Amino acid sequence: MRPRPMVEKSGEADWQQQEQGTKEARALNFSSFQLEIIAAHRATFGRSQDVSKVVDMDTLVRIFRSRKLALSDPPDRSAALPHMNSPIAPTAVYAHPSPLTVLPAEIVYEILTFLEPASLTSLTGTCKLLRAHALTDSLWARFVRENVPHQPNLEYHPAESWRDLYTSLHPYWFLTKNKFWFSDKAHSGGTMTGNLVVIRYDPRRQCIEGLRMVAKQGAHSFESWDWKPEVIIHTFNPRVELWADDPIVRIDPGCYAQQNSVNGEFLMQTGRASGVKSMFSLCHGIPPHLQSNEMTLWPPPIIPVRERVRNESRHLFRGEGHRPNSLAEVSESTFRIRKWVEFGGHGSPLGLHIGEDVVTFSTLPEEYYTATKEKPWQGIWVGDYSGHGIEFLLLIQRAVDHSLGPPRSAVNTPLQHHYDESPNRCIGLPVEEGEDGSCAGRLEAIKLTGDPNVPRGEYTWVAEDIGPDGLLRVADERIFKGARVVRSLGHSAARSFRNDKFIPSQLIMINRNTLAQYWEDFGHVSFYERVHTDDYLKKL
């Protein structure tokens, strides 16, 4: 039996009532944690309540405050909560003791681990004892660490505590939790190219920082292709890096406290290398039932995301309607940056403010760029587009769904491939199929960064079935020996994305980290390499 608390005679009846409820609840095989809550629940509502209806901490706090039950402070309890090995014992100073204050400290702590930051903050306004419990620093450490999962050894320094660290960068922790973000425009202003950004927490400066992911072509050579001697193959050896010299996002401690609103914008300390001024603003998403085909949204519909926002505004999103009015309306999947070039110095009467534009960012749901046993091909990849440079892609592996049909603008594209009568065609060659189904389904490659022909947010190629029904052959030539070759459709367009169409192509599945796409009409082979995202997060 729990130790009987030290209460005056005026509280004797309350204690007996708690004990009676506990005995009945124990007969129903409730856990010790549930028994404590049931005792609190009965003490508040009386014995007539059904013990199976257990309320949560938030409900109890609201009840106590609304009924104005006395929550008198015990002596010498205004300081921070002692170590959990020294539980706070109930005292005899309560005229009408609250059930929460007679619970052992360990039980109260366990209850509080189920609360979110807003609920913990509300709890600090009830009484000094519960305030001390709610300010227990280990409770707040969880909120920070779950938002920076790639930094397991993180400490709160240089902040004074975990709570201080969390509140100093609230409500922007979703930026680091989602890690990878892609934009509708490049930071330099390119409307078709976009950027891929990694957002991290920098413990040295106690700030949130966003760095562009860039790729450069490494040393390469030319190879001949025995299967198509007229095609010259350029090998692909990309170097992917984070550009740390010029962050495009920087959230310093206290940004929210300074403006005390989620509806405004604030100036970021970025652009020292490029001379670009930037202001950060939060967004609120457009509910699916309000979205229509007439709206220009970011991201485009082909990219699976949790929320979408407007992507066009005649007034460059200056209206308050484009931003949230409360924390509950804040989108944790999107944000915007207003940028411009300023000459003459900030506040100078002779300064020039030119080139203002707004860039919208969205995150990628982790389940769509994380490879699994069943979907080993999906992830973030980098591809070689010859004269257009190197671009980042999102590969999504789905179940085959013939109801989807061919991609847009491919409806009238002839699907017969130019090599159908070639003696090298090996349709039906037996292939060892993995039991995990990895060589099955539909594979879609979507551009996260684009070029002047096919922009970001569009398909670059689609293999409608990488399983037996889409198999063309298994390569026996030296350069691709043993690779599966499946039907695919490549997306091409004239400059400015005019006259886009899907053309016959072949996807060469070399291994799970390397793919190649043979563009039949162009006589060109593009290579794609997986970006090992965890490696870049560890470097941070």
Side-chain angles (χ1 to χ4, degrees):
M1 180 180 292
R2 294 178 293 117
R4 182 168 177 163
M6 298 173 59
V7 296
E8 294 179 344
K9 291 184 178 179
S10 60
E12 184 73 21
D14 290 338
W15 172 249
Q16 290 177 354
Q17 189 179 60
Q18 286 184 5
E19 284 298 293
Q20 179 65 27
T22 301
K23 291 177 181 177
E24 296 178 10
R26 187 177 290 113
L28 297 176
N29 295 321
F30 282 97
S31 68
S32 59
F33 171 71
Q34 289 172 313
L35 292 175
E36 297 291 349
I37 299 300
I38 291 167
H41 186 253
R42 279 187 171 275
T44 305
F45 292 100
R47 290 190 58 200
S48 61
Q49 293 294 314
D50 182 355
V51 296
S52 64
K53 296 179 179 178
V54 180
V55 294
D56 62 356
M57 182 69 168
D58 272 346
T59 305
L60 287 172
V61 171
R62 288 196 300 270
I63 292 168
F64 297 149
R65 301 196 73 175
S66 64
R67 294 167 71 108
K68 295 182 172 55
L69 295 180
L71 290 172
S72 305
D73 296 311
D76 302 322
R77 296 300 185 187
S78 58
L81 187 67
H83 192 274
M84 295 304 295
N85 289 332
S86 302
I88 298 175
T91 66
V93 300
Y94 295 95
H96 299 285
S98 163
L100 284 178
T101 59
V102 300
L103 293 177
E106 292 87 348
I107 299 298
V108 176
Y109 180 87
E110 182 67 21
I111 295 171
L112 300 194
T113 61
F114 291 92
L115 300 188
E116 294 302 314
S119 299
L120 276 181
T121 302
S122 298
L123 190 61
T124 61
T126 56
C127 73
K128 289 182 180 179
L129 177 60
L130 293 181
R131 174 183 173 84
H133 280 290
L135 294 180
T136 304
D137 211 35
S138 56
L139 293 171
W140 296 88
R142 174 173 62 91
F143 301 136
V144 175
R145 286 179 169 143
E146 69 184 9
N147 285 295
V148 284
H150 52 283
Q151 295 174 262
N153 299 320
L154 181 68
E155 296 295 335
Y156 60 76
H157 304 290
E160 295 181 358
S161 65
W162 286 111
R163 183 177 183 273
D164 178 61
L165 173 57
Y166 180 82
T167 56
S168 69
L169 294 171
H170 170 76
Y172 308 110
W173 285 107
F174 69 90
L175 297 172
T176 61
K177 184 175 183 178
N178 291 317
K179 297 171 285 195
F180 292 96
W181 299 78
F182 61 104
S183 66
D184 61 337
K185 302 171 186 174
H187 200 58
S188 59
T191 58
M192 300 182 70
T193 50
N195 279 131
L196 181 62
V197 175
V198 179
I199 298 187
R200 65 174 184 174
Y201 168 69
D202 185 348
R204 297 171 302 167
R205 291 174 289 180
Q206 195 184 331
C207 69
I208 293 173
E209 193 172 59
L211 306 177
R212 275 168 283 185
M213 185 172 278
V214 297
K216 301 176 181 179
Q217 176 66 277
H220 64 279
S221 59
F222 297 95
E223 297 276 354
S224 60
W225 190 9
D226 298 338
W227 194 77
K228 284 283 183 180
E230 66 274 18
V231 176
I232 302 298
I233 295 177
H234 298 218
T235 58
F236 185 42
N237 184 27
R239 297 201 313 270
V240 178
E241 302 171 349
L242 295 176
W243 190 5
D245 294 340
D246 191 15
I248 63 174
V249 175
R250 176 163 173 171
I251 312 292
D252 289 306
C255 285
Y256 177 68
Q258 292 172 12
Q259 59 177 352
N260 196 29
S261 171
V262 294
N263 192 258
E265 299 176 291
F266 61 86
L267 188 67
M268 296 187 293
Q269 300 300 314
T270 59
R272 296 178 182 177
S274 60
V276 176
K277 300 284 186 180
S278 299
M279 296 186 76
F280 181 97
S281 65
L282 297 166
C283 300
H284 72 82
I286 305 295
H289 68 277
L290 295 180
Q291 298 176 15
S292 66
N293 294 332
E294 290 72 29
M295 289 184 179
T296 303
L297 300 174
W298 184 255
I302 65 172
I303 300 180
V305 293
R306 299 183 183 93
E307 291 182 298
R308 305 184 197 279
V309 295
R310 288 186 180 274
N311 199 34
E312 281 188 355
S313 170
R314 289 183 297 174
H315 304 291
L316 290 178
F317 303 98
R318 294 188 180 280
E320 293 184 355
H322 293 291
R323 299 190 287 271
N325 292 311
S326 66
L327 286 171
E329 294 182 0
V330 172
S331 167
E332 295 193 348
S333 302
T334 57
F335 66 89
R336 292 191 179 98
I337 292 179
R338 185 183 306 278
K339 60 187 183 64
W340 68 92
V341 179
E342 189 170 290
F343 297 96
H346 181 67
S348 170
L350 300 178
L352 294 176
H353 180 111
I354 62 173
E356 183 174 329
D357 200 2
V358 176
V359 181
T360 303
F361 286 81
S362 177
T363 191
L364 292 169
E366 190 168 2
E367 61 267 25
Y368 286 104
Y369 65 80
T370 302
T372 65
K373 181 179 179 181
E374 295 76 21
K375 299 179 178 181
W377 303 100
Q378 64 183 19
I380 296 176
W381 293 62
V382 61
D384 179 16
Y385 284 83
S386 188
H388 292 155
I390 299 175
E391 300 172 21
F392 290 98
L393 317 173
L394 172 66
L395 262 64
I396 301 176
Q397 188 173 353
R398 308 179 189 269
V400 175
D401 186 352
H402 296 291
S403 66
L404 293 176
R408 181 185 57 81
S409 78
V411 175
N412 298 320
T413 300
L415 297 183
Q416 61 271 21
H417 290 251
H418 297 171
Y419 59 86
D420 280 352
E421 298 179 359
S422 167
N424 291 321
R425 186 178 180 216
C426 300
I427 296 289
L429 186 72
V431 178
E432 186 76 22
E433 295 290 344
E435 294 181 1
D436 56 7
S438 59
C439 291
R442 173 186 173 103
L443 201 57
E444 302 174 357
I446 303 170
K447 288 192 174 186
L448 297 177
T449 58
D451 57 55
N453 291 62
V454 178
R456 77 287 173 274
E458 292 287 343
Y459 289 118
T460 182
W461 49 260
V462 174
E464 295 183 286
D465 190 345
I466 62 174
D469 291 343
L471 178 67
L472 296 172
R473 66 187 185 95
V474 173
D476 57 2
E477 60 270 24
R478 176 186 55 84
I479 192 171
F480 297 132
K481 190 173 183 62
R484 293 173 60 87
V485 182
V486 299
R487 293 186 181 89
S488 63
L489 293 168
H491 201 179
S492 68
R495 197 171 183 84
S496 299
F497 199 44
R498 292 179 293 106
N499 303 322
D500 70 304
K501 61 182 179 180
F502 283 82
I503 60 176
S505 58
Q506 306 172 39
L507 179 64
I508 306 170
M509 308 175 75
I510 302 171
N511 57 57
R512 294 183 181 180
N513 294 318
T514 306
L515 296 170
Q517 172 86 348
Y518 171 41
W519 305 77
E520 298 177 7
D521 288 2
F522 303 148
H524 175 73
V525 175
S526 298
F527 283 87
Y528 304 90
E529 292 286 337
R530 182 187 298 276
V531 176
H532 296 281
T533 54
D534 287 347
D535 293 345
Y536 296 93
L537 294 174
K538 290 176 183 177
K539 291 178 182 179
L540 298 178

